[in-house]
Amino acid sequence: MPLTKSAMVGQARVHQETNADKNSTLAEEVVDGTTEEEGKIQDRGQWASKAEFLLAVAGQIIGLGNVWRFPYLCYKNGGGVFFVPYLLFLVLCGIPLFLLEMALGQYTSLGGVSAWRSICPLFGGLGYASQVMILHGCVYYIIILAWALFYLGCSFQSKLPWAHCNNTWNTETCAVFEGENISGLPLNATSPVMEFWEREVLNVSDGVGELGSVHWRLALCLLAVWVVCYFCVWKGVKSTGKVVYVTATFPYAMLLVLLVRGATLPGAVEGIIYYLKPNHTRLSDPQVWMDAGTQIFFSYGICLGSLTALGSYNKFNNDCYRDTFLLCLLNSGTSFLAGFAIFAVLGFMAQEQNVHISEIAQSGPGLAFIVIPRAVSMMPLPQLWAVSFFLMIIMLGLDTQGGLYVFQIYDHFSCSGASLLLLSIFQSVAIGWVYGPDRFSNNIKSMIGYLPPSTFKLCWRYLTPAVCTGTFVFSLVSWSPLKLGKGVVAPVWATALGWLLALSSVSLLPLWTIYALMNTHGTLSQRLRILCHPVERSPAARKNSSNGMQLTFDFTTTPREAVLNVL
């Protein structure tokens, strides 16, 4: 979007600060890691087109969190009641933080770590904490792609192995449900889809303490997925921009096929009603609110540094405000669409087995690996559709016998729950109380030519940290042990391990603050004042000033006294 007249005024000049003392310079060296003599700016490159940027962000935020995690959380939390906290978090936290991170990257032209060190040095630990969370996410999230690759390999068989009970892993209670004739089946009958998932893919053990041996075929799938991921990104933004044309569009075609097929099955209406009808009693459960909040942060990529990194490759005058609403609408719309597709098939499976929808499958991370195989097995040319759907899951995401339990512990603690809520709180405090929402809004105006609505300043300063803090405290007060698959409750040692995973990222915030304070000269009050100011001569400032862009870092403004009082 071209800059308006108001945005073009003053583009030729950059605010100069002539009275910076040596303490400010030293703080810059500590926080930015670059002295004046070695401050050479590397060419970061830019997206070849606006479409590449939108598809790259869409590919980042629209993935397994929409197709796998959102329907699974709806199923786990009683269907439609999950929409209430989900929409509340979306409006008050998701959209404001999405704009905050994407605008931060675009304005500073820096990645997730350097951007926070540049704009608010005291909170530079936010960038490092997000990187640790991404590391945890890679460790467990990519396992889902290994599962999908395993299913993909099995899809080339002449008869899909989850469509019949004549396999070596099937039990005597395995039965192919025909829907119209189930009276002769045993009460504990299980479907071949469930047995393939639990006994062949996972070989699930009886508890989290029984890890068993390595599943060598899954291990090979995991290695293959890592190799594919490497070649998708090995040339940086240039190669990524081309890959997303396929990986971000193909899944929508497959979701549409799954939705149409599911809607034509008997019992689909009951499944969709269960999906949409809220169970109000579940709103008193703090886990529902925790799941809703972390689902927003998880599926939107908030607090992970990815939005800041992707935004940093934008042109300076890109309309990131408009992009925010477009991408958020696309993200949540995809989640709702995937929910319709999954629950339509769940309704059919419930009618087929003559049980209630809530009993059709244990709500766990493998819900999509139970529903999708059952749906494709009833399509013409099932092998073709199976290959297509599991390719979709692999594109969306671009082991051991006890691995499912470990996976759920990672999912609950490392990249969601308390850790994401705490990082969201500190991000809001950094912009809303230290850097200043007015100043940040003016930074956005310097890029897009107009101010974002004042409601964003209200969210950054009050609403977002209040909602996240309330949810976090509510979850602590009503805390209960984590329930894993097959009715297994996480033991004390597993819960302790989970909290260590959460602290491994969040703890970097105070550690960085202590490090920055120790390496800055002056009294404590002077050090806090220095670290609450943006870095004066950051690479981003030099880069944008050389391009004739107007920067609105205000070095003469005194940091808010409220921050000093709190600290």
Side-chain angles (χ1 to χ4, degrees):
M1 178 178 179
L3 290 174
T4 61
K5 181 178 179 180
S6 61
M8 296 175 64
V9 175
Q11 267 193 351
R13 72 182 184 88
V14 180
H15 289 290
Q16 301 290 334
E17 177 62 23
T18 59
N19 60 347
D21 56 17
K22 69 176 183 179
N23 282 340
S24 178
T25 303
L26 179 59
E28 175 188 339
E29 293 178 5
V30 170
V31 174
D32 186 49
T34 306
T35 60
E36 184 72 18
E37 292 75 13
E38 56 189 12
K40 297 181 180 180
I41 305 168
Q42 296 181 351
D43 183 15
R44 288 178 59 81
Q46 290 185 334
W47 299 108
S49 65
K50 180 64 172 286
E52 279 193 6
F53 165 69
L54 292 176
L55 287 174
V57 178
Q60 166 66 27
I61 66 175
I62 299 173
L64 298 176
N66 304 84
V67 175
W68 153 68
R69 207 169 190 269
F70 181 81
Y72 138 59
L73 290 177
C74 286
Y75 186 84
K76 170 187 174 183
N77 294 303
V81 73
F82 187 70
F83 295 160
V84 177
Y86 178 87
L87 293 175
L88 180 66
F89 271 96
L90 172 63
V91 173
L92 299 182
C93 303
I95 296 177
L97 290 177
F98 193 95
L99 175 62
L100 185 156
E101 294 193 18
M102 193 158 60
L104 176 63
Q106 182 173 314
Y107 185 77
T108 61
S109 294
L110 296 170
V113 174
S114 300
W116 283 109
R117 288 165 52 184
S118 173
I119 204 169
C120 191
L122 187 66
F123 288 82
L126 283 168
Y128 293 104
S130 67
Q131 296 307 302
V132 174
M133 292 185 68
I134 289 177
L135 175 63
H136 289 318
C138 290
V139 169
Y140 89 94
Y141 196 65
I142 204 167
I143 293 178
I144 302 174
L145 305 187
W147 292 341
L149 186 60
F150 188 88
Y151 272 87
L152 178 64
C154 295
S155 300
F156 290 98
Q157 299 183 22
S158 59
K159 191 173 183 180
L160 296 177
W162 55 79
H164 61 88
C165 294
N166 299 323
N167 303 289
T168 57
W169 60 82
N170 290 129
T171 64
E172 295 179 355
T173 59
C174 178
V176 178
F177 297 94
E178 300 295 342
E180 68 277 358
N181 183 23
I182 62 173
S183 57
L185 297 178
L187 295 177
N188 59 343
T190 56
S191 67
V193 173
M194 287 291 296
E195 292 202 350
F196 178 80
W197 167 245
E198 293 184 349
R199 297 177 61 84
E200 172 64 2
V201 179
L202 300 177
N203 196 6
V204 179
S205 61
D206 295 328
V208 67
E210 302 177 20
L211 294 181
S213 58
V214 174
H215 192 328
W216 66 269
R217 286 180 295 175
L218 275 183
L220 291 177
C221 291
L222 186 62
L223 175 62
V225 171
W226 274 114
V227 172
V228 171
C229 289
Y230 170 77
F231 282 105
C232 285
V233 300
W234 70 314
K235 288 188 177 180
V237 67
K238 297 301 181 182
S239 63
T240 304
K242 302 299 181 292
V243 170
V244 295
Y245 278 106
V246 177
T247 60
T249 56
F250 177 72
Y252 281 97
M254 293 298 99
L255 271 181
L256 184 61
V257 171
L258 182 63
L259 176 62
V260 171
R261 181 61 182 122
T264 60
L265 294 172
V269 175
E270 286 74 15
I272 293 175
I273 291 175
Y274 183 86
Y275 175 52
L276 298 177
K277 184 178 179 180
N279 179 7
H280 300 289
T281 60
R282 296 283 291 156
L283 289 176
S284 60
D285 186 353
Q287 190 59 47
V288 176
W289 293 85
M290 177 72 83
D291 285 345
T294 54
Q295 171 60 18
I296 288 291
F297 302 139
F298 187 88
S299 65
Y300 277 69
I302 294 172
C303 298
L304 299 178
S306 56
L307 295 176
T308 304
L310 293 174
S312 68
Y313 295 103
N314 270 332
K315 296 180 180 179
F316 188 76
N317 62 346
N318 175 66
D319 194 339
C320 55
Y321 175 77
R322 184 179 59 185
D323 293 344
T324 293
F325 281 92
L326 176 63
L327 291 166
C328 288
L329 177 63
L330 184 63
N331 187 302
S332 292
T334 303
S335 296
F336 290 129
L337 178 66
F340 277 103
I342 295 295
F343 276 84
V345 180
L346 281 175
F348 162 74
M349 294 176 67
Q351 178 173 308
E352 183 184 48
Q353 300 180 31
N354 196 27
V355 296
H356 191 265
I357 296 176
S358 61
E359 303 174 6
I360 191 62
Q362 296 187 21
S363 66
L367 183 62
F369 290 93
I370 296 172
V371 173
I372 293 179
R374 184 68 184 99
V376 300
S377 65
M378 297 178 295
M379 295 181 178
L381 299 175
Q383 290 81 3
L384 173 63
W385 290 112
V387 169
S388 299
F389 277 110
F390 291 113
L391 277 175
M392 173 196 76
I393 292 179
I394 293 174
M395 289 183 181
L396 283 172
L398 285 185
D399 224 63
T400 64
Q401 296 172 350
L404 182 63
Y405 304 126
V406 177
F407 176 92
Q408 289 179 284
I409 293 172
Y410 258 89
D411 177 54
H412 186 77
F413 288 101
S414 64
C415 296
S416 60
S419 53
L420 276 180
L421 288 175
L422 289 173
L423 289 189
S424 300
I425 293 170
F426 284 109
Q427 278 194 7
S428 302
V429 170
I431 295 298
W433 291 92
V434 179
Y435 185 75
D438 293 324
R439 181 192 292 178
F440 194 69
S441 294
N442 288 330
N443 295 154
I444 296 176
K445 180 182 177 181
S446 70
M447 295 186 293
I448 66 177
Y450 57 92
L451 286 171
S454 58
T455 52
F456 281 90
K457 294 189 290 185
L458 184 65
C459 287
W460 293 329
R461 189 173 175 87
Y462 298 109
L463 298 180
T464 300
V467 171
C468 292
T469 302
T471 303
F472 178 68
V473 173
F474 187 31
S475 65
L476 290 180
V477 172
S478 306
W479 183 84
S480 60
L482 175 63
K483 295 180 180 178
L484 306 175
K486 303 186 72 174
V488 176
V489 177
V492 175
W493 67 266
T495 302
L497 175 62
W499 280 108
L500 284 177
L501 289 172
L503 290 175
S504 66
S505 58
V506 177
S507 62
L508 293 179
L509 287 167
L511 290 176
W512 168 263
T513 301
I514 294 172
Y515 170 79
L517 287 171
M518 291 178 62
N519 287 273
T520 304
H521 291 308
T523 65
L524 178 61
S525 176
Q526 291 172 338
R527 298 180 189 189
L528 288 173
R529 289 178 183 274
I530 293 170
L531 294 174
C532 286
H533 278 82
V535 174
E536 180 185 356
R537 289 181 294 274
S538 67
R542 291 192 292 270
K543 176 178 181 294
N544 287 324
S545 63
S546 65
N547 290 338
M549 296 297 180
Q550 179 187 14
L551 293 178
T552 53
F553 282 133
D554 184 4
F555 304 110
T556 62
T557 303
T558 302
R560 301 184 181 277
E561 296 297 328
V563 177
L564 298 178
N565 293 334
V566 171
L567 293 175

